[in-house]
Amino acid sequence: MSAGTATTELGALGQEAKPTSINGVIPRAGRYRPMIPLAALMALACYAFLFFYVRPHIFRGNSDFAFYYRAGKMLKAGYGANVYDLNAERAYDAKWGGEYTAPGRNFSSYPFVASPFILLIFGPLACLSYSHAWTVWYAANVSMLLGIPFLLRSVLGHGRLFALALLSPPFFLPLDFALFQGQPTILLALLFAWMFTEIVRERAWHAGCILALVTIKPQLAIPMLLALAFARNWKAIAAFFGASFGLFWVSAALVGWRTAIRFPLVLRQFSQLPLGLGGPDLRLMPNVRGILYGVLHSRISTNSLEALTIVLSLALMMTVGVSLRNRESLTLGFASVIVVTLLTSYYGYMHDMSLLLVSFLLTGSYLRGRKLGPVEVTITFAVYGLFLLPVVSSSFHIMVIGMFLGMLLLAGLQFAGLLRHNSCIALVELRRSVVSA
């Protein structure tokens, strides 16, 4: 086997693949391999510092982990059917709120809006005290962050890029938000990385099942499902719906089938809930919905604003069909779908931007070893800019706007890079057909 046929990649997100290197570049360890253990130790030291810095503050205000933990306690107490009942949630927070926060501090009750099967995680965690459960979940998130580079090692190699993938996450502020808030976003990042790996290994059934697990937050699975449909990866789509059907019955076993089947209605009710009662704060969303709300909510009607949001989001989603046509650009295509997912998600806060980690790593893998033209150089600056922007922003509002514009720029550049790559492939194939004729 030649150097150009060392690894295998799946073509067009589902078509039969030929043995080839991913992106035409074979990952190599080289002289940077000794850096990996050092990078892992430095990352662990950073996570330990963050833990000891943040842990004393988790009882000083509300943490998103509290409503996941509360839902787990309700399940444990035999009241799983009430996990989406706002009155029941407030009653249980009044009962257990003293465990979540320091004495004398107010505790605002937030609704639980995740898919019921996530209680497979938070039900067992609810057997622990709140502080111990938060600590265990923090450790689990750190383990997942360290595991993502290992899942992507087929494209990252075992050298400098792999070491950077281990060391950089603690310095990406959205990931820190996810760690502190106890959100399951890091779990979703791990699932996307795992899904990519299964696609590369030509395991469409596995990839579809993993995407079904992403429906912990259903809005984050839609663009990837659309990409699979454009790629005609019917095996993965069939696996997605089969696994989703199975997860529905898992949810039904946990909270009852009536509660499980109400979940889509719960999402709709949550979107209409006033901010003071725990409803969504659109001003904090760095996505199409949040930016349009900030610019237009006082100028046009709510229905018109919602319609415009849907139209623009769907227009952005259409780009995923073009992005995943060629097997040699699978890494950049998958990275592009993740960025589009964040831009078009109906609910998306700063902690959800943690998914960008997977996009950054795949984009870096795609660029490695390539001749850097204007598009590639601009993509590189866009990735570094998005990584650093949360740290240098002077206010959270500026951070939200900056992240949206940065992701929009990155999505556009990735799209342009994919179009150029696909056109070059088409030109080569045309020349071959002319020569053979």
Side-chain angles (χ1 to χ4, degrees):
M1 182 178 292
S2 65
T5 60
T7 58
T8 301
E9 184 174 352
L10 191 64
L13 252 181
Q15 307 305 312
E16 289 297 324
K18 299 178 181 178
T20 182
S21 60
I22 297 179
N23 302 328
V25 178
I26 303 170
R28 292 179 295 179
R31 64 184 182 276
Y32 296 104
R33 188 162 192 163
M35 295 171 55
I36 294 175
L38 178 61
L41 288 174
M42 292 176 65
L44 283 172
C46 291
Y47 292 127
F49 171 80
L50 291 172
F51 173 79
F52 287 109
Y53 176 78
V54 172
R55 196 172 187 275
H57 300 273
I58 64 171
F59 297 108
R60 296 186 180 180
N62 284 56
S63 169
D64 292 347
F65 182 78
F67 63 74
Y68 290 104
Y69 180 78
R70 177 237 294 140
K73 292 203 70 150
M74 291 175 70
L75 177 69
K76 179 173 173 285
Y79 297 99
N82 296 328
V83 291
Y84 297 126
D85 186 312
L86 292 177
N87 293 326
E89 289 176 303
R90 293 191 189 102
Y92 276 95
D93 281 337
K95 179 180 178 181
W96 294 321
E99 187 179 350
Y100 305 156
T101 190
R105 291 188 174 271
N106 294 327
F107 181 82
S108 301
S109 182
Y110 290 125
F112 172 69
V113 288
S115 294
F117 63 84
I118 200 175
L119 294 178
L120 289 172
I121 296 173
F122 289 96
L125 284 176
C127 296
L128 305 173
S129 67
Y130 182 76
S131 60
H132 289 162
W134 185 89
T135 301
V136 170
W137 185 233
Y138 182 93
N141 278 310
V142 168
S143 300
M144 288 186 278
L145 285 172
L146 292 174
I148 287 173
F150 288 92
L151 280 174
L152 298 177
R153 64 187 181 276
S154 63
V155 293
L156 297 179
H158 296 278
R160 179 171 51 183
L161 188 57
F162 189 94
L164 187 63
L166 287 171
L167 184 57
S168 60
F171 302 96
F172 187 42
L173 206 55
L175 279 168
D176 295 335
F177 290 153
L179 278 171
F180 303 158
Q181 290 292 328
Q183 279 280 345
T185 319
I186 294 171
L187 171 61
L188 297 178
L190 180 80
L191 291 174
F192 274 119
W194 187 13
M195 180 185 176
F196 173 81
T197 300
E198 295 304 314
I199 290 174
V200 168
R201 293 175 178 173
E202 304 185 38
R203 298 172 180 173
W205 289 102
H206 292 182
C209 291
I210 294 166
L211 184 60
L213 293 173
V214 174
T215 59
I216 289 170
K217 295 188 175 185
Q219 71 275 12
L220 299 179
I222 295 173
M224 191 63 73
L225 185 63
L226 188 63
L228 292 172
F230 275 119
R232 300 180 181 179
N233 191 341
W234 308 124
K235 287 183 180 179
I237 292 174
F240 170 83
F241 284 107
S244 297
F245 183 74
L247 288 172
F248 168 78
W249 288 108
V250 170
S251 299
L254 291 169
V255 300
W257 70 269
R258 288 185 177 86
T259 301
I261 210 168
R262 280 187 56 237
F263 178 59
L265 179 61
V266 168
L267 291 176
R268 182 63 181 170
Q269 291 173 340
F270 174 68
S271 69
Q272 299 171 345
L273 198 64
L275 181 59
L277 297 178
D281 191 346
L282 304 186
R283 299 168 301 176
L284 304 182
M285 295 186 183
N287 55 18
V288 171
R289 186 188 182 198
I291 296 301
L292 287 180
Y293 175 84
V295 174
L296 299 174
H297 79 279
S298 61
R299 295 177 173 86
I300 62 177
S301 67
T302 301
N303 290 337
S304 299
L305 182 58
E306 188 166 331
L308 182 60
T309 299
I310 292 173
V311 169
L312 291 181
S313 297
L314 287 175
L316 271 173
M317 285 187 194
M318 291 302 103
T319 64
V320 302
V322 181
S323 299
L324 299 170
R325 287 182 177 177
N326 190 274
R327 63 187 176 87
E328 290 189 356
S329 57
L330 177 61
T331 51
L332 187 62
F334 200 94
S336 175
V337 175
I338 291 176
V339 178
V340 171
T341 296
L342 294 172
L343 285 169
T344 59
S345 61
Y346 200 66
Y347 300 103
Y349 291 98
M350 194 57 65
H351 55 76
D352 293 309
M353 303 303 109
S354 302
L355 298 182
L356 285 173
L357 173 66
V358 179
S359 183
F360 291 163
L361 295 178
L362 293 179
T363 302
S365 171
Y366 175 81
L367 295 175
R368 182 184 52 187
R370 290 184 175 274
K371 182 179 179 180
L372 297 182
V375 173
E376 288 78 12
V377 171
T378 313
I379 288 176
T380 303
F381 278 107
V383 168
Y384 279 110
L386 272 172
F387 187 91
L388 296 173
L389 179 66
V391 178
V392 301
S393 298
S394 59
S395 70
F396 198 87
H397 181 65
I398 292 176
M399 187 194 308
V400 167
I401 296 174
M403 288 296 289
F404 171 78
L405 294 176
M407 287 192 296
L408 195 62
L409 173 63
L410 181 59
L413 291 168
Q414 289 170 330
F415 183 67
L418 288 163
L419 281 179
R420 189 181 67 174
H421 188 94
N422 292 340
S423 63
C424 289
I425 295 295
L427 183 60
V428 169
E429 291 177 352
L430 179 61
R431 287 177 178 173
R432 285 178 180 173
S433 63
V434 171
V435 170
S436 63

Short mmCIF file of all heavy atoms in Angstrom, two decimals, residues 4 6 40 58 65 70 81 91-92 101-102 113 129 159 186 243 280 286 295 310-311 318 336 341 344 369 411:
data_model
loop_
_atom_site.label_atom_id
_atom_site.label_comp_id
_atom_site.label_asym_id
_atom_site.label_seq_id
_atom_site.Cartn_x
_atom_site.Cartn_y
_atom_site.Cartn_z
N GLY A 4 -0.21 7.24 -0.15
CA GLY A 4 -1.46 7.93 -0.41
C GLY A 4 -2.67 7.09 -0.15
O GLY A 4 -3.80 7.53 -0.30
N ALA A 6 -3.11 5.13 2.84
CA ALA A 6 -2.87 4.59 4.17
C ALA A 6 -4.13 4.51 5.01
O ALA A 6 -4.22 3.68 5.89
CB ALA A 6 -1.83 5.44 4.88
N ALA A 40 -1.21 16.83 27.71
CA ALA A 40 -2.28 16.25 28.53
C ALA A 40 -2.13 16.66 29.99
O ALA A 40 -3.13 17.01 30.66
CB ALA A 40 -2.28 14.73 28.39
N ILE A 58 -20.17 28.00 42.96
CA ILE A 58 -21.34 27.37 42.33
C ILE A 58 -22.60 27.54 43.16
O ILE A 58 -23.70 27.40 42.64
CB ILE A 58 -21.09 25.87 42.06
CG1 ILE A 58 -20.90 25.11 43.37
CG2 ILE A 58 -19.93 25.66 41.13
CD1 ILE A 58 -20.87 23.61 43.18
N PHE A 65 -26.91 23.36 35.83
CA PHE A 65 -26.86 22.00 36.36
C PHE A 65 -28.00 21.75 37.35
O PHE A 65 -28.46 20.61 37.48
CB PHE A 65 -25.51 21.76 37.03
CG PHE A 65 -25.33 20.37 37.57
CD1 PHE A 65 -25.03 19.32 36.72
CD2 PHE A 65 -25.48 20.11 38.92
CE1 PHE A 65 -24.88 18.03 37.22
CE2 PHE A 65 -25.32 18.84 39.43
CZ PHE A 65 -25.01 17.79 38.57
N ARG A 70 -32.35 18.65 39.49
CA ARG A 70 -33.71 18.58 40.03
C ARG A 70 -34.57 17.55 39.29
O ARG A 70 -35.32 16.80 39.90
CB ARG A 70 -34.37 19.95 39.95
CG ARG A 70 -35.82 19.97 40.42
CD ARG A 70 -36.72 20.49 39.34
NE ARG A 70 -36.43 21.88 39.08
CZ ARG A 70 -36.40 22.41 37.86
NH1 ARG A 70 -36.63 21.65 36.81
NH2 ARG A 70 -36.15 23.69 37.69
N ALA A 81 -42.93 11.79 35.80
CA ALA A 81 -43.97 12.27 34.90
C ALA A 81 -44.16 13.78 35.00
O ALA A 81 -44.77 14.39 34.12
CB ALA A 81 -45.29 11.56 35.17
N ALA A 91 -42.23 23.84 42.86
CA ALA A 91 -42.46 23.26 44.19
C ALA A 91 -41.24 22.46 44.66
O ALA A 91 -40.84 22.56 45.83
CB ALA A 91 -43.70 22.36 44.15
N TYR A 92 -40.64 21.71 43.74
CA TYR A 92 -39.47 20.93 44.13
C TYR A 92 -38.26 21.83 44.35
O TYR A 92 -37.43 21.54 45.22
CB TYR A 92 -39.18 19.87 43.07
CG TYR A 92 -39.99 18.62 43.26
CD1 TYR A 92 -41.19 18.44 42.58
CD2 TYR A 92 -39.59 17.63 44.16
CE1 TYR A 92 -41.97 17.30 42.76
CE2 TYR A 92 -40.35 16.49 44.35
CZ TYR A 92 -41.54 16.33 43.65
OH TYR A 92 -42.30 15.20 43.85
N THR A 101 -28.02 26.34 46.62
CA THR A 101 -27.44 27.68 46.73
C THR A 101 -27.12 28.01 48.17
O THR A 101 -27.61 27.35 49.10
CB THR A 101 -28.41 28.72 46.15
OG1 THR A 101 -27.75 29.98 46.06
CG2 THR A 101 -29.65 28.87 46.99
N ALA A 102 -26.31 29.02 48.35
CA ALA A 102 -25.89 29.41 49.69
C ALA A 102 -27.05 30.03 50.46
O ALA A 102 -27.96 30.62 49.87
CB ALA A 102 -24.73 30.40 49.59
N VAL A 113 -35.72 21.41 29.95
CA VAL A 113 -36.16 21.37 28.55
C VAL A 113 -35.30 20.44 27.69
O VAL A 113 -35.24 20.61 26.47
CB VAL A 113 -36.17 22.79 27.93
CG1 VAL A 113 -37.30 23.62 28.48
CG2 VAL A 113 -34.82 23.48 28.13
N SER A 129 -25.20 14.08 46.67
CA SER A 129 -25.52 15.46 47.05
C SER A 129 -25.24 16.37 45.87
O SER A 129 -24.51 16.00 44.94
CB SER A 129 -24.69 15.89 48.25
OG SER A 129 -23.32 15.98 47.89
N GLY A 159 0.77 14.20 16.51
CA GLY A 159 1.82 15.20 16.61
C GLY A 159 1.33 16.51 17.17
O GLY A 159 0.57 16.56 18.14
N ILE A 186 -20.75 19.55 26.15
CA ILE A 186 -19.50 18.85 25.91
C ILE A 186 -19.78 17.41 25.50
O ILE A 186 -19.09 16.84 24.64
CB ILE A 186 -18.59 18.94 27.14
CG1 ILE A 186 -18.16 20.40 27.36
CG2 ILE A 186 -17.37 18.04 27.00
CD1 ILE A 186 -17.44 20.66 28.66
N ALA A 243 -33.06 4.47 15.96
CA ALA A 243 -32.54 4.75 17.30
C ALA A 243 -33.41 5.76 18.03
O ALA A 243 -33.63 5.65 19.25
CB ALA A 243 -31.10 5.26 17.20
N PRO A 280 -36.60 31.78 27.44
CA PRO A 280 -35.33 32.03 26.74
C PRO A 280 -35.02 33.52 26.64
O PRO A 280 -35.92 34.34 26.43
CB PRO A 280 -35.56 31.43 25.34
CG PRO A 280 -37.05 31.45 25.16
CD PRO A 280 -37.63 31.25 26.52
N PRO A 286 -26.04 33.82 20.18
CA PRO A 286 -25.22 34.22 19.02
C PRO A 286 -25.58 33.42 17.77
O PRO A 286 -24.74 32.77 17.16
CB PRO A 286 -23.79 33.92 19.49
CG PRO A 286 -23.95 32.78 20.44
CD PRO A 286 -25.29 32.95 21.10
N VAL A 295 -31.97 43.10 16.53
CA VAL A 295 -32.03 44.18 15.55
C VAL A 295 -33.47 44.59 15.23
O VAL A 295 -33.75 45.79 15.05
CB VAL A 295 -31.30 43.76 14.25
CG1 VAL A 295 -31.46 44.81 13.17
CG2 VAL A 295 -29.82 43.52 14.54
N ILE A 310 -36.96 31.76 10.37
CA ILE A 310 -37.06 30.43 9.76
C ILE A 310 -36.53 30.44 8.33
O ILE A 310 -35.78 29.54 7.91
CB ILE A 310 -38.52 29.94 9.81
CG1 ILE A 310 -38.94 29.68 11.26
CG2 ILE A 310 -38.70 28.67 8.98
CD1 ILE A 310 -40.40 29.37 11.44
N VAL A 311 -36.89 31.47 7.56
CA VAL A 311 -36.46 31.55 6.16
C VAL A 311 -34.94 31.64 6.06
O VAL A 311 -34.30 30.91 5.28
CB VAL A 311 -37.13 32.74 5.45
CG1 VAL A 311 -36.49 33.00 4.10
CG2 VAL A 311 -38.63 32.50 5.29
N MET A 318 -29.34 25.05 3.70
CA MET A 318 -29.20 24.49 2.35
C MET A 318 -27.74 24.34 1.93
O MET A 318 -27.42 23.54 1.06
CB MET A 318 -29.94 25.37 1.34
CG MET A 318 -31.46 25.36 1.45
SD MET A 318 -32.19 23.71 1.28
CE MET A 318 -32.58 23.30 2.99
N SER A 336 -18.04 22.38 8.58
CA SER A 336 -18.97 23.41 8.11
C SER A 336 -20.38 23.15 8.61
O SER A 336 -21.09 24.08 9.00
CB SER A 336 -18.95 23.45 6.58
OG SER A 336 -19.91 24.36 6.08
N THR A 341 -24.97 24.49 12.03
CA THR A 341 -25.85 24.04 13.11
C THR A 341 -25.98 25.09 14.20
O THR A 341 -27.08 25.40 14.67
CB THR A 341 -25.31 22.73 13.72
OG1 THR A 341 -25.35 21.70 12.74
CG2 THR A 341 -26.12 22.31 14.93
N THR A 344 -27.95 28.28 13.00
CA THR A 344 -29.38 28.11 12.71
C THR A 344 -30.17 27.49 13.85
O THR A 344 -31.38 27.35 13.73
CB THR A 344 -29.56 27.24 11.46
OG1 THR A 344 -28.96 25.96 11.67
CG2 THR A 344 -28.92 27.90 10.24
N GLY A 369 -0.94 20.65 5.75
CA GLY A 369 -0.27 20.07 4.61
C GLY A 369 -0.73 20.60 3.27
O GLY A 369 -0.21 20.18 2.23
N ALA A 411 -18.36 30.11 8.21
CA ALA A 411 -19.23 29.27 7.39
C ALA A 411 -19.12 29.65 5.92
O ALA A 411 -19.07 28.77 5.04
CB ALA A 411 -20.68 29.39 7.87
#
